Amino acid sequence: MSVLIIVFLTAVIALFSGVFEQGKFARYIGILGLIIALYVSFMPECAFFDHYKHMYEYSANTALFTKISIVTTLLLFFLGGFAFSNHRSHQSELYALMLFALCGGIILFGYQNLVTMFLGVEILSIPLYVMAGANKTDLRSNEASIKYFLMGAFATGFLLFGIAFIYGSAGSFDLYKIHDFGVANASNVMFILGVLLILCALAFKVALAPFHMWSPDVYAGSPSLITAFMASVVKISGFFALFRLMTIGFAGVTHEWINVLGVFLIITLLLANVMGLAQTNAKRMLAYSSVSHAGYIGLVFFGMTNLSTYNLAFYLFAYSLSTVGVFMCLIWVEKLKRETSFGAFKGLAKTEPLLATTAAISMLSMAGVPLTAGFMGKFALFSQAMNGAAFLVLVAVLGSALSIAYYLRLIIAMFFFKESTFKSSEKVTLTYNIVGVVVIAAIIILGVFPDTFAGMFGL
């Protein structure tokens, strides 16, 4: 909880820094606060917070996913100086909202009952509704905000209705008491209905088909840095919340929801990758890519072992690194070209080879090409799922094969055009080059030496 308090106070300070110099210091305040929070996350939790263990517990798994989300947010903050250059009048609000959303994510990493989970989901979601509409003069951004808000409110209704059914049947919000009730009353209709309603609500949050329909429009209309935040930190938070709930609270009725989740995954893996092939806009392509990765991550629920949590953390971190790498390139191209079609990237490698290489390696990692972190992440999840859902793995492999095609289209545009459409005077900032080197190094190191992941996060 110490980390949560530090991130919250950082968000408050960043917000009020907008009073001075139109928030130009908010980014630096956020970076400093996140570094302090990351340092504290490696330390034992203060004994004072043991009083709140029935609501929120900072366990080893909570610490691991908190570290991953903080590192990802920190990388995105480094990209913010250039990405938010046209939001000078409200930079402090945007950085503060990202930090408030991160607070919601941290709550979801350690919640002990359904009330705390609901608070975490809403604290994570509400800032996103606002950030999606940050480009006030852009109709697509306005549409993204209102669509996300309306669909999010609809999903929240499912969540609350499900929680009401669970409480009405189990008589408790506590995950472990709910688990005990599920074991003893596995055929209780009200309880099972509550489980399925909550599953549908959280499937919306992580963009599992058929609850993904908001995702392409919201991702395409939101500012690109916010889209990267949604595709990485929000997905980390949403998936661990779903994983924690299903493997603790609803583990007693696994046979009632696992097949439903399997159907969601099949639809997700096939639909998202086929739709990705049809895109001509890089940002919408990455939106469908994000949906497809939700399908790969969902395999963690099948053939579960003692390493399932570790496999989930590794995959989410590898995917988040790749997301930062691709969106770093997209942000820069979008600023110069004012569009994100595949044509806008033509010849990028001739003027900015490091930027193009970062994006290419990141997409190869997303596709699961060997010697990348993404390959090791997929290999771990696919190997685990083979024990309980070989057909799902077959569908996932087919989806991965399809995804290579649309990633290659962007790579070809960057590397295989004779003439560059970029002016040599337009150079990437030093910060972006440093982040690019960090992303490339991390993806390759984790792909070649995956055990270094444990060392990175003090496991």
Side-chain angles (χ1 to χ4, degrees):
M1 194 172 283
S2 305
V3 178
L4 177 61
I5 292 171
I6 291 169
V7 174
F8 173 75
L9 292 177
T10 303
V12 172
I13 296 170
L15 180 63
F16 282 99
S17 72
V19 177
F20 308 100
E21 299 291 335
Q22 296 184 328
K24 65 182 288 187
F25 302 115
R27 174 166 161 260
Y28 302 108
I29 292 169
I31 290 172
L32 178 61
L34 288 169
I35 291 172
I36 294 171
L38 183 61
Y39 174 76
V40 172
S41 69
F42 283 90
M43 300 172 66
E45 180 66 303
C46 179
F48 171 79
F49 296 115
D50 289 345
H51 300 293
Y52 304 97
K53 278 190 174 181
H54 64 288
M55 296 290 286
Y56 175 88
E57 183 178 11
Y58 193 75
S59 63
N61 288 335
T62 305
L64 173 59
F65 284 87
T66 298
K67 292 167 189 173
I68 291 171
S69 61
I70 289 175
V71 168
T72 305
T73 307
L74 193 57
L75 290 173
L76 293 175
F77 264 65
F78 280 116
L79 304 181
F82 182 72
F84 286 157
S85 59
N86 61 334
H87 296 282
R88 296 194 182 278
S89 61
H90 52 275
Q91 278 194 37
S92 59
E93 292 94 324
L94 290 172
Y95 289 119
L97 286 169
M98 288 176 72
L99 291 169
F100 282 129
L102 178 60
C103 288
I106 293 172
I107 291 172
L108 290 176
F109 298 141
Y111 70 90
Q112 292 291 87
N113 61 49
L114 296 181
V115 175
T116 313
M117 183 196 75
F118 175 74
L119 289 174
V121 167
E122 293 308 300
I123 293 170
L124 175 70
S125 300
I126 292 172
L128 295 174
Y129 303 151
V130 180
M131 289 189 287
N135 289 334
K136 299 176 184 178
T137 58
D138 187 346
L139 289 177
R140 292 180 306 164
S141 184
N142 296 335
E143 178 193 0
S145 181
I146 193 68
K147 183 174 287 189
Y148 198 12
F149 171 71
L150 292 175
M151 296 294 288
F154 190 69
T156 297
F158 271 67
L159 181 62
L160 283 173
F161 207 15
I163 290 173
F165 277 168
I166 296 298
Y167 182 75
S169 53
S172 176
F173 292 116
D174 186 85
L175 291 184
Y176 294 96
K177 292 180 180 177
I178 290 170
H179 172 267
D180 294 340
F181 178 87
V183 171
N185 302 272
S187 59
N188 186 298
V189 176
M190 183 183 291
F191 184 80
I192 294 169
L193 185 57
V195 170
L196 295 178
L197 284 170
I198 294 176
L199 174 61
C200 291
L202 293 179
F204 169 88
K205 296 299 179 184
V206 299
L208 276 173
F211 305 97
H212 73 292
M213 292 174 286
W214 59 274
S215 180
D217 290 336
V218 172
Y219 278 33
S222 303
S224 293
L225 191 70
I226 303 305
T227 303
F229 184 80
M230 292 178 187
S232 55
V233 176
V234 174
K235 198 168 287 289
I236 294 169
S237 306
F239 253 107
F240 188 70
L242 179 63
F243 182 79
R244 186 175 179 82
L245 183 63
M246 292 302 182
T247 57
I248 298 177
F250 300 153
V253 290
T254 300
H255 59 284
E256 300 293 344
W257 56 262
I258 194 71
N259 291 328
V260 176
L261 181 61
V263 173
F264 289 172
L265 297 186
I266 292 172
I267 299 171
T268 301
L269 290 166
L270 294 178
L271 181 64
N273 285 301
V274 170
M275 290 300 295
L277 287 171
Q279 302 308 308
T280 58
N281 183 287
K283 205 170 180 182
R284 288 187 71 87
M285 179 271 284
L286 290 171
Y288 281 108
S289 168
S290 179
V291 174
S292 72
H293 279 277
Y296 304 131
I297 299 166
L299 293 174
V300 74
F301 292 99
F302 296 86
M304 289 186 60
T305 67
N306 293 333
L307 291 175
S308 293
T309 305
Y310 180 86
N311 293 340
L312 177 64
F314 186 98
Y315 191 100
L316 286 170
F317 183 60
Y319 171 67
S320 297
L321 283 174
S322 300
T323 299
V324 172
V326 176
F327 273 92
M328 180 179 71
C329 179
L330 187 142
I331 288 167
W332 192 78
V333 172
E334 186 179 29
K335 281 285 184 181
L336 297 184
K337 302 291 187 179
R338 300 188 182 277
E339 62 168 325
T340 54
S341 65
F342 286 115
F345 291 79
K346 288 182 179 179
L348 176 62
K350 296 188 183 303
T351 52
E352 289 296 342
L354 179 58
L355 192 67
T357 301
T358 304
I361 291 176
S362 297
M363 285 186 286
L364 292 174
S365 179
M366 286 181 174
V369 173
L371 301 183
T372 63
F375 170 77
M376 296 308 301
K378 282 186 177 180
F379 181 78
L381 288 184
F382 289 6
S383 299
Q384 171 192 312
M386 279 296 293
N387 297 322
F391 178 72
L392 279 179
V393 176
L394 179 63
V395 175
V397 171
L398 176 61
S400 292
L402 289 174
S403 71
I404 294 174
Y406 55 77
Y407 293 135
L408 280 178
R409 289 173 63 194
L410 192 56
I411 293 173
I412 289 169
M414 292 188 295
F415 284 89
F416 297 99
F417 276 84
K418 293 181 180 179
E419 298 296 329
S420 175
T421 60
F422 297 87
K423 298 177 182 177
S424 57
S425 59
E426 298 167 334
K427 291 295 182 183
V428 172
T429 62
L430 178 61
T431 303
Y432 273 54
N433 284 327
I434 293 173
V435 172
V437 170
V438 169
V439 169
I440 291 172
I443 288 174
I444 293 175
I445 289 171
L446 289 175
V448 179
F449 305 105
D451 291 341
T452 56
F453 175 78
M456 284 182 183
F457 294 101
L459 300 180

